[in-house]
Amino acid sequence: GENVEQHPSTLSVQEGDSAVIKCTYSDSASNYFPWYKQELGKGPQLIIDIRSNVGEKKDQRIAVTLNKTAKHFSLHITETQPEDSAVYFCAASGRISGGSYIPTFGRGTSLIVHP
Amino acid sequence: GAVVSQHPSRVICKSGTSVKIECRSLDFQATTMFWYRQFPKQSLMLMATSNEGSKATYEQGVEKDKFLINHASLTLSTLTVTSAHPEDSSFYICSARDRETQYFGPGTRLLVL
C-alpha cells in the first residue's frame, strides 16, 4: 500500500521567513496530493492541493510542487506570519478502500512562526 | 470550500455508556464519508469508510461492534461509540468527500470517565 513520509516533524521560523515542508510517497498510482492545516483543537482544513498532471500550483503565499518521477511533493509558505503556526499534513491519494480512493496522511509537521 | 459540521464538539460520559457523534455535509452531497481518530500530537488514523446506503468498511484493528457507523443519507453519517471506556477517550474527526476532495469536520473531543 501507500506510504507517505513527511519532514521535518517540527519547523521553527521567524516571522517573514519562508517555510518548506517535504513529503515523499511510494505508490506511483497516486494522483492527488492535498495539504491540510490543523490548528489546535480543530479539524484539518484543506489549504491547497495538486493533481498529478501539474508540477506546481500557487495560491497567494502558499505553493505546492510535485515531482512525480521522484515521488516528492512539497509545501512552500512565503512571508510567514504567526497565524500560520499550526500542524500541516500532506497526503497522497491512491489507496482504495470500500470502493473509494482514500488518502494516506503523513505524520504531520508542527510549524511555529515566531513574531 | 465545502463545509462539514460535527456534533457535539465535546462530550464527557461515564464508562459503559454509549455516545453518538453526528457528521453532516452542509452544502454538498457526500456519497462517501470517513471517520478518523487522532491521539495528541499524532496523525489522523482512519477508522472506517462509509458509503451512503451500504455497510461501512472498517480498517484493520477497528472493532465494528464497538464503533457503529451509519450513513443513512447523502448528508449525514453517525458514529456511535458503544459501551465507552476510558481508553476510547480521543479526538474523533469525520470527513466527507466532494468529488476528489475530502473536507473535514471540526472534530469531537470525547472524554470517558
Side-chain angles (χ1 to χ4, degrees):
Chain A
E2 178 67 276
N3 182 46
V4 176
E5 298 285 338
Q6 183 172 347
H7 299 281
S9 57
T10 305
L11 180 59
S12 184
V13 300
Q14 287 296 129
E15 182 176 2
D17 287 350
S18 295
V20 181
I21 302 171
K22 298 181 179 181
C23 289
T24 62
Y25 62 99
S26 60
D27 188 349
S28 57
S30 289
N31 56 13
Y32 176 63
F33 307 90
W35 285 88
Y36 292 88
K37 174 184 180 182
Q38 186 178 26
E39 297 178 344
L40 191 63
K42 298 183 179 180
Q45 293 295 307
L46 179 71
I47 55 171
I48 196 168
D49 56 14
I50 191 168
R51 288 169 174 79
S52 59
N53 58 346
V54 176
E56 184 173 357
K57 184 177 179 181
K58 191 173 182 179
D59 182 4
Q60 299 182 345
R61 297 187 296 110
I62 295 173
V64 58
T65 59
L66 171 65
N67 183 329
K68 282 218 72 178
T69 303
K71 301 198 191 78
H72 289 172
F73 58 114
S74 300
L75 177 71
H76 304 252
I77 306 174
T78 58
E79 300 172 30
T80 54
Q81 301 166 4
E83 50 265 38
D84 294 329
S85 297
V87 178
Y88 291 81
F89 292 99
C90 65
S93 188
R95 181 167 78 95
I96 296 178
S97 176
S100 300
Y101 281 99
I102 61 172
T104 299
F105 286 88
R107 297 174 70 87
T109 295
S110 178
L111 173 64
I112 303 167
V113 181
H114 298 281
Chain B
V3 179
V4 176
S5 71
Q6 208 172 320
H7 179 80
S9 59
R10 183 185 295 265
V11 59
I12 301 173
C13 69
K14 293 182 178 180
S15 185
T17 60
S18 293
V19 175
K20 180 185 281 189
I21 303 170
E22 290 188 351
C23 177
R24 294 180 185 272
S25 56
L26 297 185
D27 50 2
F28 66 101
Q29 293 184 325
T31 54
T32 305
M33 288 186 170
F34 306 87
W35 287 95
Y36 291 84
R37 183 173 179 177
Q38 188 177 37
F39 293 102
K41 297 186 178 181
Q42 293 194 22
S43 189
L44 303 157
M45 185 188 79
L46 180 67
M47 298 174 67
T49 302
S50 79
N51 292 302
E52 185 264 339
S54 62
K55 289 184 179 180
T57 300
Y58 289 82
E59 294 296 295
Q60 193 172 5
V62 178
E63 298 176 60
K64 60 179 67 176
D65 294 330
K66 177 148 188 78
F67 299 99
L68 301 179
I69 292 172
N70 183 278
H71 191 165
S73 77
L74 288 172
T75 59
L76 173 64
S77 176
T78 61
L79 167 68
T80 301
V81 183
T82 62
S83 187
H85 288 93
E87 58 265 29
D88 299 323
S89 299
S90 192
F91 192 50
Y92 293 87
I93 314 172
C94 72
S95 74
R97 183 196 298 279
D98 182 11
R99 298 174 197 164
E100 201 170 29
T101 304
Q102 270 189 262
Y103 297 95
F104 285 86
T108 296
R109 176 77 58 192
L110 171 63
L111 177 60
V112 184
L113 303 176

